[in-house]
Amino acid sequence: MQWQAIVDFDGTISEKDTTDSVLARFAEPGWEAIEDDWVAGRIGSRECMERQVALLRASPDVFDSFVESFAIDWGFAFFVRVCQRHGVPVTVVSDGLDRTIHTVLRRAGLAGLPVIANHLEPVGADRWRLTSPHASRDGSCSSGTCKCSVASSLGRPATILVGDGRSDFCLAERADLIFAKNGLIAHCDQAGVEHRPFSRLAEAARILDDMLTGVVPAAASHHIKDLING
């Protein structure tokens, strides 16, 4: 089986939602009201983030210095090594900010990983603009980064999804193997989607390593065994 791994960033690789942290530190008043509109379903995440990013007030140097302090789950490096050992390409796919993700991964020594996310672009001394080069082309997805479209474009027939929240819900309906935490667990439970819960990425990495080497835990379903052996 030719696998590809798509790993969410905020709340999955990062310890907390880095976009919310950036907005809380640098956005002018009003960003939380925009967030409320998104949570209530009145706007999509793409519109939400475009409007919020327009409220940011920080120079690029100040912005980068701030995000360099963000903590990650260091088990991600172990997860990447496991995937590399089994020939599984890892792509960080996020509905967050590419500049933040690149800065954090570079500090963690993981700068070579491909990143697909919304593009954060400085405009002038302390203003910013958001573009979404990986949005759904047909408008069927309101996210800035359509993870289903990205998964299809990466070219391998079987997808491993590692995620934690709303931006992962759609792909969770289509992925072949899902590692879930936080809100993604609740979504999978409600939708009847088979998944492997995890709290730390090192735990997910060990489970994946066992699966790909054929040491499948006894509790694993026949469906997952079939996928691994397929």
Side-chain angles (χ1 to χ4, degrees):
M1 180 70 77
Q2 286 192 314
W3 293 91
Q4 61 191 15
I6 288 179
V7 186
D8 174 59
F9 183 74
D10 285 301
T12 301
I13 296 172
S14 65
E15 294 283 359
K16 57 185 178 181
D17 191 309
T18 60
T19 302
D20 281 352
S21 297
V22 165
L23 291 167
R25 174 65 179 84
F26 296 122
E28 292 186 333
W31 74 269
E32 290 171 305
I34 299 171
E35 188 88 359
D36 291 341
D37 283 343
W38 171 67
V39 171
R42 291 185 286 270
I43 60 174
S45 69
R46 181 179 182 181
E47 179 181 349
C48 174
M49 292 192 64
E50 285 177 350
R51 291 167 56 188
Q52 289 177 323
V53 163
L55 298 175
L56 290 177
R57 300 292 181 263
S59 68
D61 287 347
V62 170
F63 182 96
D64 292 342
S65 294
F66 177 70
V67 302
E68 279 181 351
S69 66
F70 291 155
I72 70 166
D73 179 344
W74 286 99
F76 180 54
F78 177 36
F79 184 90
V80 171
R81 289 197 300 272
V82 166
C83 287
Q84 290 174 337
R85 186 161 64 246
H86 293 285
V88 178
V90 176
T91 306
V92 178
V93 185
S94 171
D95 204 20
L97 307 174
D98 62 350
R99 189 182 186 100
T100 298
I101 297 169
H102 282 298
T103 299
V104 172
L105 292 183
R106 183 169 56 249
R107 182 179 60 84
L110 295 165
L113 288 175
V115 172
I116 294 176
N118 297 295
H119 179 55
L120 184 64
E121 179 182 3
V123 181
D126 65 350
R127 301 294 196 270
W128 300 85
R129 175 172 58 215
L130 187 80
T131 57
S132 300
H134 306 287
S136 171
R137 294 188 177 184
D138 62 8
S140 61
C141 176
S142 64
S143 297
T145 300
C146 178
K147 295 186 178 181
C148 290
S149 296
V150 170
S152 296
S153 72
L154 292 178
R156 291 204 170 189
T159 296
I160 300 164
L161 170 65
V162 186
D164 84 312
R166 188 179 299 193
S167 69
D168 305 300
F169 288 178
C170 182
L171 184 54
E173 307 283 339
R174 308 182 187 188
D176 301 282
L177 179 60
I178 301 164
F179 291 96
K181 63 185 290 193
N182 300 335
L184 186 55
I185 293 177
H187 172 78
C188 289
D189 285 340
Q190 184 176 13
V193 174
E194 187 175 2
H195 61 286
R196 299 303 301 257
F198 76 98
S199 58
R200 308 295 294 179
L201 284 167
E203 175 188 357
R206 285 190 291 269
I207 295 171
L208 180 61
D209 194 29
D210 285 345
M211 287 181 170
L212 294 177
T213 54
V215 186
V216 182
S221 70
H222 291 295
H223 174 62
I224 290 181
K225 289 180 182 178
D226 291 343
L227 285 171
I228 299 301
N229 295 327

